[in-house]
C-alpha cells in the first residue's frame, strides 16, 4: 500500500510536531508541580507548624530555582533538536525572562500541549470505537440497543477531529515558536554583541591552534627528518674524508651526494625556520629575527626596539610578516638591500620592511601578500603597502598588543 | 664526551671524533646524564646538542654554562639545528676560551669540523658563520661602514674564532696579507691589538655586541 505524497508530508510533519509538543509537557510541567509541592509545605507550616515543614520547603524552592535556569537550556535543546530553531544562550543575569518563561508562561503552554494530546487520544479512541464495541462480550452489548449507530457517529466525529489534529498541533508549535522567540530571544544589538564575543574567542582559538600546529610540525621535523639528513650528510662526509683510494668516478658520486644532502638540509632548515622557530617561544621576537635577517639572500639591516614581550600569537604573526616579506623581496623585488624595523610603542607593535627593488607589488595579486594581510587581520592588525613601479617598496604592519 | 639525544647522530659523531684521533669517554642522551658524565670523566671536550630532553628547548646551553663554571678545564662545543646569536651571547658572556657553537650540519664537512674541534679543545673559539652573520645584520651605521668588503670578510672570519692561518686558508691569500687586513680593521674600529687569538676574538665579539 502506498501512501500519497501529500498525506505522507502531513504525517511526517505531524510526527515532528507531536514529538515537540510531547517533549514540552514534562519541561513545562516541572515548575507548576514544584510550586504545588512548595504550596503544600507552606500550608503545612501555616497549619500545625513543624520545623520539618520549614526544612521541607527548602527542597522544592531550591529545585524551583535550579529548574528556572536549567530548564531554559532544556528548552533550547528542544527547540533546536525538534524544531530547528536556534535560541541564544541566556545568561544568569537575564533571570527575569527565564523565570517568566519557565514558571508563568510555561505552565499555560504545558496546559495547551496536554489539551492537544488529550484531543488526539480522544479522537483516536472515538475513531476506533467500532473496534472497541466489537471487542465487548455479546450479553453486555445486548443491554444497549442501538449501539452500532452511536459507535458509527463516534467514529465519524473522531475521524473529523483527527483530520483537524495536524492543523491544531501545527498551530500550537507556531504559537510556541512565537512565544519562545519573544521571551527567550535577545535583541538584535545584544545578539550581535554576543556574536562578536563568540567570534573573537573562536578566532583567537583558531589562531592559537594554527600556531600550535606549526610548533608541532617544527618539532617533528627537527626530531625526525632533519636529524636523519644531518646523519646522512655526516656519513657521506666521513666517506669523502676516509676513502682516499676510491676510483675518481666513485669519489665524484660521493661528493655529489654529499653536496645534495647539505643543500637538502639548507632548504629544509629555511622552510622550517619560517614556520615557528623554537627561539621565538624561548627568547621572543627580538632574538628570533636575527636568524631570519641573516638567512636572507641579500644584505638586510635589522633594527629592533622591543622593550618587552608581546603575546605569543602577536609575536608569531610579526615573525611571519618579516619572514614572508623577506621571502617576497628575495623572489620578486630584484633589490640590493632591505631594511627591517620592528618597534613597539605603547600598545602597537610596528613592523616595517623596506627594499630598494623594482616595486609594483600588489597585495591583491600576489597570493603571498594576500596570505600575509589575512594573517595580520587575524590579530586585528593593520597592513599597508606602498610599492610604486620603479620602487622603493615599503610594507608597514601594525599589530595591537595588550600589555 | 658526547651529549646528543638522536642516537643516529651520536653514532656518526663518535665516528668523526675517532677519525680525528679523539677518544670518546662517554655518551649521554640528556643534560642530566651529561653533567654526571663530565663530573665522572673530566673530559677535555664535551660536544653538546642544544635541544635535549626533557623540554627540548635550550637544555644544552644551560648545561654548557654549568660545565664552564664548574669544570673550566672542559671545553664545550655546542651543536644546534639552528644557531641563535642570543644563545651565543649567553655562552660567550663570561669567557670566550674553549667555547664553540656550530650548526649541526657543519659536522658533515668533516675536515673543517675536526679543525674546529681541535681549536675549541685547545682553548680557542669556534663560532658558526651564521652567528657572525646574525651579529652583523643587527648593526646600524657605525664604524663597520668604513671597512672595505675584504676587511668585512676578514672581520667575520676573525669573529668565528679562526687564526691568521685559518683566515688565510679560507680566503686563499697569504698570511701576511691577512695580518695587514687585521691591523687595518683594528685601527678602523679602534680595537686594542691582542697577541693571543682568543683575546682578539673577544675584542671583536664585544664590538659586535655579544
Amino acid at each position: 500500500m502506498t501512501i500519497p505524497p501529500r498525506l505522507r508530508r502531513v504525517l511526517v510533519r505531524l510526527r515532528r510536531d507531536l514529538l515537540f509538543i510531547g517533549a514540552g509537557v514534562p519541561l513545562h510541567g516541572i515548575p507548576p508541580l514544584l510550586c504545588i509541592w512548595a504550596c503544600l509545605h507552606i500550608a503545612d507550616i501555616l497549619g500545625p507548624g513543624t520545623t520539618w515543614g520549614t526544612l521541607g520547603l527548602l527542597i522544592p524552592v531550591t529545585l524551583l530555582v535550579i529548574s528556572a535556569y536549567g530548564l531554559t537550556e532544556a528548552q533550547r535543546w528542544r527547540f533546536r533538536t525538534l524544531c530547528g530553531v536556534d535560541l541564544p544562550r541566556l545568561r544568569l543575569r537575564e533571570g527575569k525572562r527565564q523565570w517568566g518563561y519557565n514558571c508563568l508562561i510555561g505552565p499555560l503552554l504545558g496546559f495547551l500541549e496536554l489539551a492537544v494530546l488529550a484531543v488526539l487520544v480522544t479522537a483516536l479512541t472515538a475513531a476506533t470505537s467500532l473496534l472497541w464495541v466489537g471487542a465487548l462480550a455479546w450479553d453486555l452489548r445486548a443491554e444497549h440497543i442501538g449501539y452500532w449507530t452511536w459507535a458509527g457517529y463516534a467514529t465519524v466525529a473522531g475521524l473529523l477531529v483527527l483530520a483537524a489534529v495536524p492543523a491544531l498541533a501545527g498551530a500550537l508549535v507556531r504559537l510556541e515558536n512565537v512565544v519562545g522567540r519573544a521571551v527567550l530571544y535577545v535583541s538584535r544589538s545584544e545578539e550581535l554583541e554576543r556574536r562578536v564575543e563568540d567570534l573573537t574567542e573562536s578566532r583567537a582559538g583558531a589562531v592559537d591552534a594554527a600556531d600550535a600546529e606549526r610548533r608541532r610540525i617544527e618539532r617533528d621535523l627537527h626530531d625526525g627528518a632533519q636529524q636523519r639528513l644531518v646523519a646522512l650528510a655526516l656519513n657521506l662526509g666521513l666517506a669523502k674524508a676516509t676513502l682516499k683510494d676510491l676510483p675518481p668516478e666513485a669519489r665524484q658520486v660521493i661528493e655529489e651526494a654529499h653536496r645534495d644532502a647539505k643543500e637538502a638540509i639548507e632548504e629544509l632548515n629555511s622552510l622550517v625556520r619560517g614556520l615557528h622557530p623554537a627561539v621565538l617561544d624561548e627568547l621572543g621576537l627580538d632574538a628570533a629575527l636575527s636568524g631570519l635577517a641573516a638567512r636572507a639572500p641579500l644584505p638586510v639591516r635589522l633594527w629592533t626596539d622591543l622593550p618587552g614581550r608581546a603575546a605569543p600569537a602577536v609575536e608569531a604573526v610579526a615573525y611571519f610578516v618579516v619572514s614572508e616579506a623577506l621571502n617576497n623581496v628575495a623572489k620578486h623585488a630584484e633589490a640590493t638591500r632591505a631594511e627591517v624595523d620592528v618597534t613597539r610603542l605603547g600598545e602597537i607593535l610596528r613592523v616595517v620592511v623596506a627594499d630598494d627593488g623594482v616595486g609594483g607589488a600588489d597585495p591583491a595579486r600576489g597570493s603571498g601578500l594576500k596570505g600575509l594581510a589575512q594573517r595580520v587581520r587575524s590579530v586585528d592588525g593593520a597592513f599597508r603597502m606602498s610599492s610604486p613601479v620603479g620602487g622603493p617598496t615599503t610594507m608597514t604592519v601594525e599589530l595591537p598588543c595588550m600589555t | 664526551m658526547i651529549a646528543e639525544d638522536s642516537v643516529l647522530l651520536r653514532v656518526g659523531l663518535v665516528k668523526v671524533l675517532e677519525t680525528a684521533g679523539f677518544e670518546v669517554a662517554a655518551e649521554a642522551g640528556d643534560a642530566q646524564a651529561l653533567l654526571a658524565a663530565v663530573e665522572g670523566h673530566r673530559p677535555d671536550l664535551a660536544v653538546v646538542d642544544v635541544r635535549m630532553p626533557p623540554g627540548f628547548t635550550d637544555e644544552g646551553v644551560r648545561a654548557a654554562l654549568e660545565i664552564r663554571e664548574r669544570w673550566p678545564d672542559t671545553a664545550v662545543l655546542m651543536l644546534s639545528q639552528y644557531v641563535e646569536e642570543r644563545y651565543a651571547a649567553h655562552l660567550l658572556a663570561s669567557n670566550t676560551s674553549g667555547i664553540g657553537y656550530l650548526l649541526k650540519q657543519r659536522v658533515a664537512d668533516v675536515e673543517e669540523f675536526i679543525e674546529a674541534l681541535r681549536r675549541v679543545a685547545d682553548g680557542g673559539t669556534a663560532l658558526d658563520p651564521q652567528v657572525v652573520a646574525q651579529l652583523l645584520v643587527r648593526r646600524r651605521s657605525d664604524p663597520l661602514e668604513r671597512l672595505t668588503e675584504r676587511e668585512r670578510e676578514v672581520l667575520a672570519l676573525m669573529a668565528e674564532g679562526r687564526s691568521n692561518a685559518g683566515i688565510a686558508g679560507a680566503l686563499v691569500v697569504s698570511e701576511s696579507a691577512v695580518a695587514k687586513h687585521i691591523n687595518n680593521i683594528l685601527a678602523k674600529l679602534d680595537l686594542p691589538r691582542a697577541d693571543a687569538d682568543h683575546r682578539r676574538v673577544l675584542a671583536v665579539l664585544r664590538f659586535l655586541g655579544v
Side-chain angles (χ1 to χ4, degrees), chain A residues 197-385:
Chain A
E197 274 172 34
D198 284 353
L199 286 174
T200 310
E201 207 171 307
S202 64
R203 188 187 64 176
V207 168
D208 286 346
D211 282 343
E213 186 64 5
R214 284 188 201 97
R215 275 192 205 95
R216 195 186 59 75
I217 294 171
E218 192 269 345
R219 195 37 221 287
D220 286 354
L221 284 171
H222 177 273
D223 293 349
Q226 286 177 309
Q227 305 296 323
R228 278 186 190 285
L229 274 174
V230 171
L232 169 70
L234 188 156
N235 281 325
L236 287 165
L238 268 176
K240 205 174 103 177
T242 49
L243 305 173
K244 297 287 186 196
D245 49 1
L246 281 179
E249 297 83 9
R251 279 200 71 76
Q252 200 186 338
V253 169
I254 289 180
E255 273 174 25
E256 274 176 22
H258 184 233
R259 201 172 38 245
D260 286 347
K262 286 199 293 185
E263 277 170 16
I265 292 171
E266 269 302 326
E267 273 180 35
L268 188 59
N269 279 2
S270 295
L271 174 84
V272 176
R273 176 88 215 190
L275 281 176
H276 192 106
V279 71
L280 186 59
D281 286 334
E282 291 154 28
L283 300 180
L285 183 61
D286 192 2
L289 289 174
S290 310
L292 270 187
R295 289 187 93 85
L298 72 164
V300 177
R301 272 292 176 69
L302 174 64
W303 175 252
T304 55
D305 178 15
L306 296 164
R309 301 236 359 212
V314 174
E315 284 194 331
V317 171
Y319 181 87
F320 175 80
V321 165
V322 176
S323 168
E324 202 54 24
L326 288 176
N327 270 346
N328 275 334
V329 171
K331 267 192 230 160
H332 311 296
E334 299 168 39
T336 59
R337 56 185 312 130
E339 295 229 354
V340 178
D341 272 27
V342 184
T343 47
R344 179 166 172 181
L345 190 64
E347 285 181 358
I348 292 178
L349 181 72
R350 189 174 288 121
V351 180
V352 182
V353 182
D355 69 74
D356 62 351
V358 293
D362 182 4
R365 279 208 321 253
S367 61
L369 285 174
K370 203 185 287 181
L372 205 152
Q374 275 169 344
R375 217 166 148 194
V376 169
R377 273 206 299 273
S378 78
V379 289
D380 285 329
F383 170 89
R384 279 199 309 277
M385 184 143 200

Side-chain angles (χ1 to χ4, degrees), chain B residues 135-152:
Chain B
L135 291 170
L136 288 170
V137 295
R138 301 193 76 101
R139 310 282 309 180
R140 278 218 133 165
S141 54
D142 61 14
L144 280 182
E145 298 286 341
R146 298 208 296 269
L147 299 184
T148 64
E149 201 53 45
R150 193 47 136 184
E151 284 167 350
R152 285 174 72 95

Side-chain angles (χ1 to χ4, degrees), chain B:
Chain B
M1 163 78 242
I2 297 178
E4 158 68 57
D5 54 305
S6 156
V7 180
L8 204 65
L9 262 183
R10 217 152 65 196
V11 172
L13 277 169
V14 171
K15 273 192 266 180
V16 172
L17 286 162
E18 284 171 349
T19 309
F22 287 94
E23 181 199 335
V24 180
E27 297 173 33
D30 60 60
Q32 236 75 45
L34 163 69
L35 291 173
V38 171
E39 190 164 31
H41 294 275
R42 297 296 165 86
D44 301 320
L45 174 68
V47 180
V48 182
D49 181 11
V50 170
R51 265 165 107 172
M52 281 193 295
F56 293 96
T57 55
D58 57 352
E59 286 79 3
V61 176
R62 275 177 294 190
L65 290 174
E66 198 170 328
I67 291 171
R68 295 300 294 147
E69 197 176 325
R70 287 170 62 186
W71 305 285
D73 294 342
T74 298
V76 180
L77 177 64
M78 307 288 315
L79 291 177
S80 182
Q81 196 72 42
Y82 303 98
V83 287
E84 308 290 351
E85 45 94 6
R86 232 31 84 85
Y87 287 147
H90 288 319
L91 286 165
L92 301 167
S94 54
N95 188 350
T96 53
S97 65
I99 281 274
Y101 183 36
L102 296 175
L103 277 171
K104 257 186 202 177
Q105 68 213 53
R106 307 292 179 208
V107 183
D109 296 314
V110 177
E111 277 105 348
E112 284 192 35
F113 180 67
I114 289 173
E115 200 265 315
L117 276 173
R118 293 227 166 85
R119 206 160 70 220
V120 174
D122 294 342
T125 316
L127 263 194
D128 200 279
Q130 261 290 328
V131 178
V132 181
Q134 288 181 19
L135 291 170
L136 288 170
V137 295
R138 301 193 76 101
R139 310 282 309 180
R140 278 218 133 165
S141 54
D142 61 14
L144 280 182
E145 298 286 341
R146 298 208 296 269
L147 299 184
T148 64
E149 201 53 45
R150 193 47 136 184
E151 284 167 350
R152 285 174 72 95
E153 283 172 6
V154 173
L155 178 80
L157 291 164
M158 263 165 74
E160 285 172 34
R162 291 173 190 253
S163 61
N164 285 15
I167 297 172
L171 295 177
V172 203
V173 295
S174 69
E175 269 194 63
S176 59
V178 170
K180 205 159 62 194
H181 283 310
I182 289 178
N183 278 336
N184 288 343
I185 293 167
L186 296 177
K188 282 183 184 175
L189 303 185
D190 211 5
L191 292 174
R193 276 158 214 279
D195 304 328
D197 273 352
H198 82 259
R199 295 255 311 276
R200 190 176 72 186
V201 175
L202 183 66
V204 171
L205 289 176
R206 291 291 173 268
F207 173 79
L208 291 178
V210 170

